């Protein structure tokens, strides 16, 4: 197992991503961060906190509850009902592997009258089996399909490992 991002690098990536989100969404009515359960939820919270610190934008958050082992058979749910009319939705996950999880995570938002939907990931592994491309990426890393990235936001030090 080798570390690909340490705590300081991850913090810098989150700050840079927050500035990019702010720059691209100056005219948005509000931004809703929808973090995919697990590390995606944590990354969404970190991005929302950073964006609140640097901008006057209205920011809301929800969690996308999804069973990654049973994507096609389990219902995708949100932890809170949020009015999305005319707002920018940013779907957040820690790692983009094939795009399959993000495709299924979009389900609850497809019938909404969003202003725009964007995707933010900390690590993009570039194995696009589904037509998903992130709008905001912290780190691009080409890996084999047998390798895995583990992002850890628990504790005081963040890290991302390749194994």
């Amino acid at each position: 197992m080798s570390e690909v991002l340490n705590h300081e690098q991850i913090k810098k990536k989150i700050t840079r991503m927050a500035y990019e989100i702010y720059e691209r969404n100056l005219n948005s009515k509000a931004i809703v961060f929808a973090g995919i359960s697990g590390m995606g939820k944590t990354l969404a919270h970190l991005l929302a906190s950073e964006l609140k610190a640097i901008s006057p934008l209205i920011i809301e958050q929800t969690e996308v509850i999804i069973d990654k082992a049973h994507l096609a058979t389990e219902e995708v749910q949100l932890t809170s009902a949020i009015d999305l009319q005319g707002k920018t939705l940013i779907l957040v996950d820690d790692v983009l592997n094939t795009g399959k999880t993000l495709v299924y995570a979009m389900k609850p938002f497809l019938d909404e009258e969003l202003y725009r939907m964007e995707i933010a990931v900390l690590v993009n592994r570039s194995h696009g089996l589904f037509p998903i491309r992130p709008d905001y990426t912290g780190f691009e890393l080409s890996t084999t399909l047998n390798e895995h990235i583990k992002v850890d936001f628990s504790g005081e030090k963040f890290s991302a490992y390749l194994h």
Side-chain angles (χ1 to χ4, degrees):
M1 201 163 52
S2 61
E3 185 175 63
V4 293
L5 291 171
N6 64 32
H7 182 75
E8 288 303 315
Q9 290 169 321
I10 290 174
K11 284 177 46 181
K12 287 178 183 174
K13 304 269 184 220
I14 290 169
T15 299
R16 182 183 50 77
M17 290 170 69
Y19 274 101
E20 286 180 36
I21 291 167
Y22 183 32
E23 289 171 3
R24 290 190 203 170
N25 290 285
L26 288 170
N27 298 321
S28 292
K29 177 178 172 181
I31 296 178
V32 177
F33 285 94
I36 295 175
S37 49
M39 293 297 116
K41 174 189 171 192
T42 305
L43 179 59
H45 175 73
L46 293 167
L47 285 168
S49 296
E50 188 70 27
L51 190 56
K52 283 179 185 177
I54 63 172
S55 81
L57 296 172
I58 297 168
I59 298 168
E60 300 172 83
Q61 296 179 61
T62 189
E63 178 182 0
V64 180
I65 301 169
I66 189 167
D67 183 349
K68 293 181 181 183
H70 302 97
L71 291 170
T73 58
E74 296 295 319
E75 184 179 342
V76 179
Q77 300 177 342
L78 303 177
T79 55
S80 56
I82 294 179
D83 175 21
L84 297 169
Q85 179 78 30
K87 297 177 183 176
T88 297
L89 175 84
I90 301 179
L91 190 57
V92 182
D93 205 1
D94 58 339
V95 179
L96 173 56
N97 290 312
T98 64
K100 188 174 184 178
T101 300
L102 285 162
V103 166
Y104 280 92
M106 289 179 184
K107 277 184 175 180
F109 309 109
L110 295 178
D111 292 329
E112 298 290 335
E113 292 291 328
L114 299 169
Y115 172 67
R116 170 185 347 196
M117 183 187 298
E118 299 178 324
I119 295 173
V121 296
L122 181 63
V123 179
N124 181 4
R125 291 184 55 208
S126 305
H127 289 296
L129 300 180
F130 288 77
I132 297 294
R133 302 287 177 260
D135 299 281
Y136 310 101
T137 301
F139 189 64
E140 295 268 347
L141 181 66
S142 294
T143 62
T144 68
L145 286 172
N146 294 333
E147 294 174 310
H148 299 283
I149 299 289
K150 171 135 177 51
V151 175
D152 185 5
F153 290 120
S154 62
E156 293 182 25
K157 296 286 182 185
F158 305 152
S159 60
Y161 289 94
L162 172 67
H163 56 95

Short mmCIF file of all heavy atoms in Angstrom, two decimals, residues 99-125:
data_model
loop_
_atom_site.label_atom_id
_atom_site.label_comp_id
_atom_site.label_asym_id
_atom_site.label_seq_id
_atom_site.Cartn_x
_atom_site.Cartn_y
_atom_site.Cartn_z
N GLY A 99 -17.59 5.03 -12.94
CA GLY A 99 -18.70 5.96 -13.14
C GLY A 99 -20.05 5.35 -12.79
O GLY A 99 -21.06 6.04 -12.75
N LYS A 100 -20.09 4.05 -12.54
CA LYS A 100 -21.36 3.36 -12.30
C LYS A 100 -22.08 3.88 -11.06
O LYS A 100 -23.29 4.14 -11.10
CB LYS A 100 -21.10 1.85 -12.16
CG LYS A 100 -22.35 1.02 -12.09
CD LYS A 100 -22.01 -0.47 -12.12
CE LYS A 100 -23.26 -1.31 -12.14
NZ LYS A 100 -22.94 -2.74 -12.21
N THR A 101 -21.38 4.06 -9.96
CA THR A 101 -22.01 4.56 -8.74
C THR A 101 -22.61 5.95 -8.96
O THR A 101 -23.74 6.22 -8.55
CB THR A 101 -21.00 4.61 -7.57
OG1 THR A 101 -20.51 3.29 -7.34
CG2 THR A 101 -21.64 5.15 -6.31
N LEU A 102 -21.89 6.82 -9.64
CA LEU A 102 -22.38 8.17 -9.89
C LEU A 102 -23.61 8.16 -10.80
O LEU A 102 -24.53 8.95 -10.60
CB LEU A 102 -21.28 9.05 -10.47
CG LEU A 102 -20.23 9.49 -9.44
CD1 LEU A 102 -18.96 9.98 -10.11
CD2 LEU A 102 -20.80 10.57 -8.53
N VAL A 103 -23.63 7.27 -11.78
CA VAL A 103 -24.81 7.17 -12.65
C VAL A 103 -26.04 6.83 -11.82
O VAL A 103 -27.09 7.46 -11.94
CB VAL A 103 -24.58 6.12 -13.77
CG1 VAL A 103 -25.89 5.75 -14.45
CG2 VAL A 103 -23.60 6.64 -14.78
N TYR A 104 -25.93 5.82 -10.98
CA TYR A 104 -27.08 5.42 -10.15
C TYR A 104 -27.41 6.49 -9.10
O TYR A 104 -28.58 6.67 -8.76
CB TYR A 104 -26.82 4.07 -9.49
CG TYR A 104 -27.07 2.92 -10.42
CD1 TYR A 104 -26.05 2.38 -11.19
CD2 TYR A 104 -28.35 2.39 -10.58
CE1 TYR A 104 -26.28 1.34 -12.08
CE2 TYR A 104 -28.60 1.36 -11.47
CZ TYR A 104 -27.56 0.84 -12.21
OH TYR A 104 -27.81 -0.18 -13.10
N ALA A 105 -26.41 7.20 -8.61
CA ALA A 105 -26.65 8.24 -7.61
C ALA A 105 -27.42 9.43 -8.18
O ALA A 105 -28.01 10.21 -7.43
CB ALA A 105 -25.33 8.71 -7.01
N MET A 106 -27.46 9.56 -9.49
CA MET A 106 -28.19 10.66 -10.13
C MET A 106 -29.70 10.44 -10.13
O MET A 106 -30.46 11.39 -10.32
CB MET A 106 -27.71 10.84 -11.57
CG MET A 106 -26.35 11.40 -11.70
SD MET A 106 -25.94 11.52 -13.46
CE MET A 106 -24.25 12.08 -13.35
N LYS A 107 -30.14 9.21 -9.94
CA LYS A 107 -31.56 8.87 -10.05
C LYS A 107 -32.51 9.83 -9.32
O LYS A 107 -33.48 10.28 -9.91
CB LYS A 107 -31.81 7.44 -9.55
CG LYS A 107 -31.53 6.37 -10.54
CD LYS A 107 -31.92 5.02 -9.95
CE LYS A 107 -31.78 3.91 -10.94
NZ LYS A 107 -32.17 2.61 -10.35
N PRO A 108 -32.27 10.16 -8.04
CA PRO A 108 -33.23 11.02 -7.35
C PRO A 108 -33.34 12.43 -7.91
O PRO A 108 -34.27 13.15 -7.61
CB PRO A 108 -32.71 11.06 -5.91
CG PRO A 108 -31.67 10.04 -5.79
CD PRO A 108 -31.19 9.73 -7.15
N PHE A 109 -32.38 12.83 -8.74
CA PHE A 109 -32.33 14.20 -9.22
C PHE A 109 -32.82 14.37 -10.66
O PHE A 109 -32.95 15.49 -11.14
CB PHE A 109 -30.89 14.73 -9.09
CG PHE A 109 -30.31 14.54 -7.74
CD1 PHE A 109 -29.29 13.61 -7.53
CD2 PHE A 109 -30.78 15.25 -6.64
CE1 PHE A 109 -28.76 13.41 -6.28
CE2 PHE A 109 -30.26 15.05 -5.38
CZ PHE A 109 -29.23 14.13 -5.20
N LEU A 110 -33.09 13.28 -11.33
CA LEU A 110 -33.42 13.35 -12.75
C LEU A 110 -34.77 14.02 -13.04
O LEU A 110 -34.96 14.57 -14.12
CB LEU A 110 -33.39 11.95 -13.38
CG LEU A 110 -32.00 11.30 -13.39
CD1 LEU A 110 -32.09 9.90 -13.97
CD2 LEU A 110 -31.00 12.14 -14.14
N ASP A 111 -35.69 13.99 -12.10
CA ASP A 111 -36.99 14.63 -12.30
C ASP A 111 -37.05 16.04 -11.71
O ASP A 111 -38.12 16.65 -11.70
CB ASP A 111 -38.10 13.77 -11.68
CG ASP A 111 -38.28 12.45 -12.42
OD1 ASP A 111 -38.04 12.43 -13.65
OD2 ASP A 111 -38.65 11.46 -11.78
N GLU A 112 -35.94 16.53 -11.25
CA GLU A 112 -35.90 17.86 -10.62
C GLU A 112 -35.59 18.93 -11.67
O GLU A 112 -34.92 18.67 -12.66
CB GLU A 112 -34.83 17.90 -9.53
CG GLU A 112 -35.07 16.92 -8.39
CD GLU A 112 -36.26 17.31 -7.53
OE1 GLU A 112 -36.60 18.50 -7.47
OE2 GLU A 112 -36.84 16.40 -6.91
N GLU A 113 -36.04 20.14 -11.41
CA GLU A 113 -35.78 21.29 -12.28
C GLU A 113 -34.51 22.00 -11.80
O GLU A 113 -34.56 23.13 -11.30
CB GLU A 113 -36.98 22.24 -12.28
CG GLU A 113 -38.21 21.67 -12.93
CD GLU A 113 -38.04 21.50 -14.44
OE1 GLU A 113 -37.33 22.30 -15.07
OE2 GLU A 113 -38.63 20.54 -14.97
N LEU A 114 -33.40 21.33 -11.95
CA LEU A 114 -32.11 21.88 -11.54
C LEU A 114 -31.65 22.96 -12.52
O LEU A 114 -31.97 22.92 -13.71
CB LEU A 114 -31.03 20.79 -11.53
CG LEU A 114 -31.24 19.61 -10.59
CD1 LEU A 114 -30.22 18.52 -10.90
CD2 LEU A 114 -31.10 20.07 -9.15
N TYR A 115 -30.86 23.88 -12.02
CA TYR A 115 -30.18 24.84 -12.90
C TYR A 115 -29.06 24.11 -13.63
O TYR A 115 -28.86 24.25 -14.82
CB TYR A 115 -29.64 26.00 -12.08
CG TYR A 115 -28.77 26.95 -12.86
CD1 TYR A 115 -29.31 27.75 -13.87
CD2 TYR A 115 -27.41 27.06 -12.59
CE1 TYR A 115 -28.52 28.62 -14.59
CE2 TYR A 115 -26.61 27.92 -13.31
CZ TYR A 115 -27.16 28.70 -14.31
OH TYR A 115 -26.37 29.55 -15.04
N ARG A 116 -28.33 23.28 -12.86
CA ARG A 116 -27.19 22.56 -13.40
C ARG A 116 -26.82 21.43 -12.44
O ARG A 116 -27.03 21.54 -11.25
CB ARG A 116 -26.02 23.53 -13.53
CG ARG A 116 -24.71 22.94 -13.85
CD ARG A 116 -23.57 23.94 -13.83
NE ARG A 116 -24.02 25.32 -13.79
CZ ARG A 116 -23.26 26.36 -14.07
NH1 ARG A 116 -22.01 26.20 -14.39
NH2 ARG A 116 -23.72 27.58 -14.01
N MET A 117 -26.26 20.34 -12.99
CA MET A 117 -25.72 19.26 -12.16
C MET A 117 -24.25 19.10 -12.51
O MET A 117 -23.89 19.02 -13.69
CB MET A 117 -26.46 17.94 -12.39
CG MET A 117 -25.94 16.82 -11.46
SD MET A 117 -26.62 15.16 -11.78
CE MET A 117 -28.35 15.40 -11.49
N GLU A 118 -23.43 19.06 -11.49
CA GLU A 118 -21.99 18.88 -11.67
C GLU A 118 -21.51 17.74 -10.78
O GLU A 118 -22.21 17.34 -9.86
CB GLU A 118 -21.25 20.18 -11.32
CG GLU A 118 -21.64 21.35 -12.20
CD GLU A 118 -20.95 22.64 -11.83
OE1 GLU A 118 -20.72 22.89 -10.63
OE2 GLU A 118 -20.65 23.40 -12.76
N ILE A 119 -20.29 17.27 -11.06
CA ILE A 119 -19.72 16.17 -10.29
C ILE A 119 -18.36 16.59 -9.75
O ILE A 119 -17.55 17.17 -10.48
CB ILE A 119 -19.56 14.91 -11.18
CG1 ILE A 119 -20.93 14.41 -11.61
CG2 ILE A 119 -18.77 13.82 -10.44
CD1 ILE A 119 -20.89 13.29 -12.61
N ALA A 120 -18.14 16.27 -8.47
CA ALA A 120 -16.85 16.53 -7.83
C ALA A 120 -16.33 15.24 -7.21
O ALA A 120 -17.07 14.53 -6.54
CB ALA A 120 -17.00 17.61 -6.75
N VAL A 121 -15.05 14.94 -7.47
CA VAL A 121 -14.40 13.77 -6.88
C VAL A 121 -13.00 14.17 -6.42
O VAL A 121 -12.38 15.04 -7.02
CB VAL A 121 -14.30 12.58 -7.86
CG1 VAL A 121 -15.69 12.09 -8.24
CG2 VAL A 121 -13.49 12.90 -9.09
N LEU A 122 -12.54 13.53 -5.36
CA LEU A 122 -11.18 13.79 -4.91
C LEU A 122 -10.18 13.12 -5.84
O LEU A 122 -9.19 13.72 -6.24
CB LEU A 122 -10.97 13.30 -3.47
CG LEU A 122 -9.58 13.57 -2.90
CD1 LEU A 122 -9.30 15.06 -2.82
CD2 LEU A 122 -9.43 12.91 -1.54
N VAL A 123 -10.43 11.85 -6.20
CA VAL A 123 -9.52 11.10 -7.07
C VAL A 123 -10.29 10.55 -8.27
O VAL A 123 -11.30 9.88 -8.10
CB VAL A 123 -8.84 9.94 -6.31
CG1 VAL A 123 -7.90 9.16 -7.23
CG2 VAL A 123 -8.09 10.44 -5.08
N ASN A 124 -9.80 10.84 -9.47
CA ASN A 124 -10.37 10.29 -10.70
C ASN A 124 -9.39 9.25 -11.22
O ASN A 124 -8.27 9.57 -11.59
CB ASN A 124 -10.58 11.38 -11.73
CG ASN A 124 -11.19 10.86 -13.02
OD1 ASN A 124 -11.52 9.68 -13.14
ND2 ASN A 124 -11.32 11.74 -13.99
N ARG A 125 -9.82 7.99 -11.26
CA ARG A 125 -8.96 6.90 -11.72
C ARG A 125 -9.00 6.71 -13.23
O ARG A 125 -8.27 5.89 -13.77
CB ARG A 125 -9.36 5.60 -11.04
CG ARG A 125 -9.02 5.61 -9.56
CD ARG A 125 -9.31 4.30 -8.90
NE ARG A 125 -8.64 3.21 -9.57
CZ ARG A 125 -9.08 1.97 -9.59
NH1 ARG A 125 -10.20 1.64 -8.98
NH2 ARG A 125 -8.42 1.02 -10.22
#
